[in-house]
């Protein structure tokens, strides 16, 4: 098919004089046909014109049928010319069709035009979910400290979720994790929904050489459901590996983070000895708070709130990732995002995070144009 660009008039000159066909009115017929094709104002009208001339009962088709009555050589000649007429009309139909489609698209685009310079009306843009907002804030704070964001799969291999993290089969930590298992595979192994973001430590250390400085926000899953536990929740993992990284860096980094995240410069932060199979030594991190008159306030006070787990990466974990613990060491931490979001924004019930209640979202959500910044903090 000949594709004709631009306005139709010019290319559609018939390749012969139509009276040469030796028939009654092909001249008129072709002129009329081309005229009607060009005048067709819609795809439907164009289809009508096509049927009228080129359809099975069409006028050109009718002339073709009449060829049989002509003497043999006149018939060959007229047949060739009539075919050319047919092709010219068909090309014209195709070109007009393309032109109509272009015009329709241009009209649609013009109708969909949006003025992106108009000010946004905050009532019409929806809200950022507090979990997304909290993740963005955490990324902003660690981003300032030079951490990169890493991710990993929700469905994990036993090796990454447990074994490589120094949690061997039969280790009690496996039970504590209330793991969701996928159906057994042919070899007897089972995939799991990751019970923490720590497997991404392993994936990152096995994929790239140190030094490393990453945070890993993401979904995690445990078979546990009550007022303070959800089967799906979010964590953010942190990992720093370098030649001289030590416990002082862990403490400085996390104190800095807690104070920036809660926006309290003198927020007390306490490191309490703890145990995780994949860190040694391990520490749980508490922040200061007070509970007076039933109201919880973050900041200097008589009480403490646990907000994250941390420690120096266990030498065996480094070895499992092909890193020599005599050359490199580092720290890791893991934090529940729902928990810190609830504390920071005074959200009383964990379950409301996942109810998709628009009134709740309007109350606790954030405006999309408030870009989280460790300096400014979010606006409500
Ligand atoms: N993965 C631990 C948990 O889910 C948290 C953690 C991460 C602790 C990294 C220490 C180091 O409880």
């Amino acid at each position: 098919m000949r594709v004709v660009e631009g306005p139709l008039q010019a290319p559609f000159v018939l390749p012969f004089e139509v009276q040469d066909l030796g028939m009654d009115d092909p001249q008129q017929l072709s002129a009329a046909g081309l005229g009607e094709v060009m005048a067709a104002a819609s795809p439907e009208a164009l289809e009508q014109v096509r049927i009228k001339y080129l359809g099975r009962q069409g006028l050109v088709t009718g002339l073709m049928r009449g060829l049989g009555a002509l003497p043999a050589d006149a018939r060959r000649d007229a047949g060739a010319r009539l075919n050319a007429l047919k092709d010219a009309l068909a090309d014209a139909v195709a070109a007009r069709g393309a032109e109509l489609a272009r015009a329709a698209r241009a009209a649609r685009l013009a109708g969909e035009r949006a003025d992106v310079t108009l000010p946004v009306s905050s009532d019409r843009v929806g809200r950022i979910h507090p979990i997304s907002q909290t993740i963005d804030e955490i990324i902003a704070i660690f981003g300032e400290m030079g951490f990169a964001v890493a991710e990993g799969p929700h469905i994990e291999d036993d090796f990454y979720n447990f074994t490589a993290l120094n949690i061997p089969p039969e280790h009690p930590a496996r039970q504590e994790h209330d793991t969701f298992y996928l159906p057994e595979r042919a070899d007897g192994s089972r995939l799991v929904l990751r019970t923490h973001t720590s497997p991404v430590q392993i994936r990152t250390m096995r994929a790239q050489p140190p030094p490393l400085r990453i945070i890993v926000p993401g979904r995690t899953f445990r078979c546990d459901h009550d007022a303070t536990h959800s089967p799906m929740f979010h964590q953010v993992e942190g990992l720093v590996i370098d030649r001289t990284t030590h416990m002082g860096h862990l403490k400085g980094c996390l104190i800095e983070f807690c104070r920036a995240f809660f926006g309290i410069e003198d927020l007390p932060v306490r490191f309490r000895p703890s145990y995780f199979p994949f860190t040694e030594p391990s520490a749980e991190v508490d922040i200061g708070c007070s509970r007076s008159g039933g109201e919880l306030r973050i900041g200097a006070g008589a009480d403490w709130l646990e907000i994250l787990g941390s420690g120096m990466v266990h030498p065996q974990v480094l070895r499992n990732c092909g890193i020599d613990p005599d050359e490199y060491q580092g720290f890791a931490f893991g934090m529940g995002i729902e928990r810190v979001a609830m504390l920071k924004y005074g959200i009383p019930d964990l379950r409301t995070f996942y109810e998709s209640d628009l009134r709740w979202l309007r109350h606790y959500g954030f405006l999309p144009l408030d870009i989280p910044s460790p300096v400014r903090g979010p606006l409500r």
Side-chain angles (χ1 to χ4, degrees):
M1 196 210 313
R2 191 153 53 102
V3 177
V4 181
E5 290 296 335
L8 267 184
Q9 293 81 313
F12 289 97
V13 177
L14 285 183
F16 52 87
E17 291 299 321
V18 194
Q19 53 280 53
D20 293 353
L21 289 169
M23 292 173 166
D24 284 350
D25 56 357
Q27 169 85 60
Q28 276 174 320
L29 188 61
S30 67
L34 287 179
E36 283 181 50
V37 167
M38 288 174 220
S42 68
E44 296 73 27
L46 182 63
E47 178 62 4
Q48 289 308 315
V49 178
R50 190 192 64 78
I51 291 168
K52 174 173 170 191
Y53 288 90
L54 302 173
R56 272 211 273 165
Q57 315 288 333
L59 297 169
V60 176
T61 321
L63 281 182
M64 294 262 194
R65 273 198 206 100
L67 286 174
L70 294 179
D73 31 325
R75 189 195 310 149
R76 195 180 320 116
D77 194 41
R81 286 157 189 271
L82 212 42
N83 266 328
L85 165 62
K86 195 180 89 182
D87 289 348
L89 273 174
D91 282 356
V93 168
R96 181 65 184 156
E99 194 175 69
L100 288 171
R102 264 200 305 277
R105 192 172 56 231
R108 207 187 69 225
L109 288 178
E112 287 173 1
R113 200 192 193 92
D115 183 350
V116 295
T117 66
L118 285 175
V120 176
S121 147
S122 62
D123 288 342
R124 298 182 55 189
V125 290
R127 293 290 188 278
I128 304 283
H129 194 282
I131 294 292
S132 306
Q133 173 78 17
T134 302
I135 290 175
D136 289 348
E137 289 168 18
I138 293 170
I139 291 174
I141 294 166
F142 284 108
E144 290 264 300
M145 299 189 207
F147 283 72
V149 174
E151 288 184 318
H154 295 163
I155 298 176
E156 267 297 7
D157 217 286
D158 186 272
F159 174 78
Y160 290 103
N161 196 78
F162 293 122
T163 310
L165 286 161
N166 207 27
I167 316 176
E170 313 312 326
H171 192 287
R174 292 208 181 204
Q175 273 89 62
E176 284 159 30
H177 275 220
D178 297 310
T179 314
F180 282 114
Y181 285 96
L182 272 71
E184 225 171 73
R185 293 184 292 186
D187 63 0
S189 65
R190 288 181 298 179
L191 294 173
V192 301
L193 295 187
R194 68 178 181 192
T195 58
H196 49 178
T197 40
S198 301
V200 187
Q201 286 188 32
I202 305 298
R203 288 185 176 274
T204 306
M205 285 191 276
R206 289 168 76 97
Q208 58 201 81
L212 296 169
R213 205 184 292 179
I214 55 150
I215 52 163
V216 185
R219 293 186 173 195
T220 47
F221 308 84
R222 291 185 198 178
C223 188
D224 203 349
H225 198 190
D226 60 36
T228 54
H229 295 90
S230 155
M232 188 283 297
F233 59 105
H234 298 76
Q235 286 190 339
V236 61
E237 191 83 9
L239 175 71
V240 174
I241 304 286
D242 210 334
R243 291 179 195 275
T244 57
T245 307
H246 54 68
M247 193 82 187
H249 295 127
L250 177 158
K251 292 180 71 175
C253 173
L254 293 178
I255 292 171
E256 180 70 24
F257 165 75
C258 292
R259 293 181 174 164
F261 179 77
F262 289 101
I264 302 172
E265 255 175 62
D266 61 350
L267 178 66
V269 180
R270 174 174 86 170
F271 292 79
R272 193 164 30 81
S274 184
Y275 172 77
F276 299 102
F278 34 91
T279 49
E280 181 58 37
S282 304
E284 260 159 337
V285 179
D286 301 337
I287 54 171
C289 70
S290 60
R291 290 186 179 89
S292 57
E295 199 201 4
L296 175 69
R297 284 184 71 86
I298 310 281
D303 271 324
W304 295 96
L305 269 173
E306 179 199 320
I307 62 159
L308 58 90
S310 68
M312 299 304 294
V313 178
H314 196 291
Q316 188 54 46
V317 173
L318 294 172
R319 262 180 237 117
N320 292 343
C321 299
I323 295 176
D324 179 358
D326 292 328
E327 212 182 319
Y328 285 101
Q329 53 185 12
F331 64 86
F333 56 88
M335 177 167 51
I337 292 177
E338 280 80 354
R339 181 164 169 77
V340 294
M342 287 168 78
L343 290 172
K344 181 168 179 177
Y345 294 116
I347 300 171
D349 186 341
L350 174 76
R351 286 170 289 201
T352 56
F353 278 114
Y354 317 109
E355 282 171 353
S356 303
D357 180 337
L358 280 179
R359 288 164 309 170
W360 183 89
L361 196 54
R362 250 174 239 126
H363 182 76
Y364 287 111
F366 296 83
L367 292 175
L369 297 180
D370 289 341
I371 294 156
S373 141
V375 184
R376 180 163 56 81
L379 302 170
R380 296 303 295 270

